[in-house]
Amino acid sequence: MMKTNAGLFFEDYCVGQVIDHAVPRTVGGGERALYHALYPARHALYSSDSFAQSCGLPQSPLDDLIAFHVVFGKTVPDISLNAVANLGYAEARWLRPVYPGDTLRARSTVIGLKQNSSGKTGVVWVRSEGFNQADEMVISFVRWVMVRKRDEAAPAPQTVVPELEKAVLASELIVPDGLSFAGYDTGLAGSSYLYSDYNIGEVIDHVDGVTLSEAEHMMATRLWQNTAKVHFDATARPDGARLIYGGHVISMARALSFNGLG
């Protein structure tokens, strides 16, 4: 009897399929410390309880992308363990803050399928949602991923490509309860620029840069319990190279944007 998990392949999915992902995770200060060690993140709201309290929150929430990474990591064994590559994201919304001590779990719904012309792989679209211990949704996003087929002779499913919004409308964004910037301290925040200082079409060169390393990207990927083979096993790709988890790059870019968008 086989006791290991080989993951799902393209022909294992069907539109409308709902997957409740295993291993909920309680997050805390450890995740915050490691996040700030891996990325040059220094936003005051996510670094200081007293600063967050001055903005109307009970304490400093964990960086929003920690919630994304944890929920994403939960989905990997069921969605992208046999992925060739993650292709994109859409309709991402952070619905409520995540605080130290919260426990996150994840659920995904398959919303689209399209076999590639090679017959060896297909694209799977899923809407993934993260919930806290009170069953409150904290994050929702769509992603699409190219997944290997187990049997290339397996018939292709009916093609369903979901229609996704090009942008999330401002009316669909949720501001956390109590959040107020009436007493916002730009000195403590590290940037004097506010909403009125920015213009449509303005280009900001954030000037800083970080050279990615094998050790750091694999440590980050393990931190989020992302088990996709292409991030660790150099034999999982024809080019013999490990693929850096896209979320690692997103967090790095977000952190580097502080210089100009503090």
Side-chain angles (χ1 to χ4, degrees):
M1 180 178 178
M2 185 173 180
K3 292 185 171 62
T4 57
N5 174 29
L8 299 178
F9 292 83
F10 179 69
E11 60 264 43
D12 296 323
Y13 298 100
C14 61
V15 173
Q17 181 179 0
V18 177
I19 303 171
D20 285 302
H21 304 293
V23 193
R25 178 167 173 176
T26 301
V27 292
E31 280 82 5
R32 189 203 305 271
L34 282 167
Y35 186 89
H36 288 189
L38 288 163
Y39 312 109
R42 49 199 173 101
H43 293 85
L45 195 69
Y46 303 107
S47 300
S48 165
D49 283 343
S50 59
F51 189 92
Q53 288 161 358
S54 74
C55 295
L57 299 180
Q59 61 176 308
S60 176
L62 298 180
D63 294 69
D64 291 324
L65 282 168
I66 291 179
F68 168 77
H69 291 309
V70 170
V71 170
F72 182 97
K74 301 293 99 186
T75 72
V76 169
D78 299 309
I79 304 301
S80 47
L81 195 64
N82 294 302
V84 177
N86 202 59
L87 301 178
Y89 300 95
E91 300 182 7
R93 294 191 303 148
W94 282 259
L95 304 171
R96 63 184 66 245
V98 173
Y99 293 103
D102 282 350
T103 297
L104 303 181
R105 63 177 178 84
R107 179 179 68 204
S108 295
T109 303
V110 179
I111 61 172
L113 293 170
K114 182 180 185 296
Q115 181 166 298
N116 291 324
S117 57
S118 68
K120 298 179 179 180
T121 59
V123 179
V124 181
W125 284 262
V126 297
R127 185 179 302 279
S128 296
E129 300 163 330
F131 301 86
N132 63 18
Q133 65 279 3
D135 287 332
E136 299 167 326
M137 193 182 300
V138 299
I139 188 172
S140 173
F141 59 90
V142 172
R143 71 167 169 135
W144 49 107
V145 56
M146 188 186 301
V147 181
R148 293 180 176 86
K149 292 184 71 176
R150 178 191 294 105
D151 177 8
E152 293 180 15
Q158 180 181 354
T159 295
V160 176
V161 178
E163 292 187 14
L164 301 174
E165 298 294 336
K166 293 182 178 179
V168 177
L169 298 176
S171 61
E172 296 180 357
L173 301 177
I174 295 177
V175 177
D177 291 340
L179 185 65
S180 170
F181 294 135
Y184 190 80
D185 188 325
T186 56
L188 291 178
S191 174
S192 61
Y193 298 114
L194 302 175
Y195 174 80
S196 57
D197 298 312
Y198 295 91
N199 299 293
I200 292 175
E202 180 179 5
V203 176
I204 301 172
D205 181 358
H206 297 294
V207 306
D208 303 305
V210 172
T211 300
L212 301 178
S213 74
E214 284 272 49
E216 286 182 341
H217 90 77
M218 286 192 291
M219 182 185 296
T221 309
R222 288 194 184 98
L223 172 63
W224 312 125
Q225 297 176 316
N226 180 338
T227 56
K229 300 169 187 175
V230 292
H231 302 318
F232 302 104
D233 185 351
T235 68
R237 286 171 50 86
D239 59 11
R242 297 181 183 91
L243 184 68
I244 293 177
Y245 162 47
H248 183 66
V249 180
I250 292 171
S251 270
M252 193 66 75
R254 159 71 170 154
L256 292 173
S257 74
F258 179 88
N259 190 351
L261 287 174

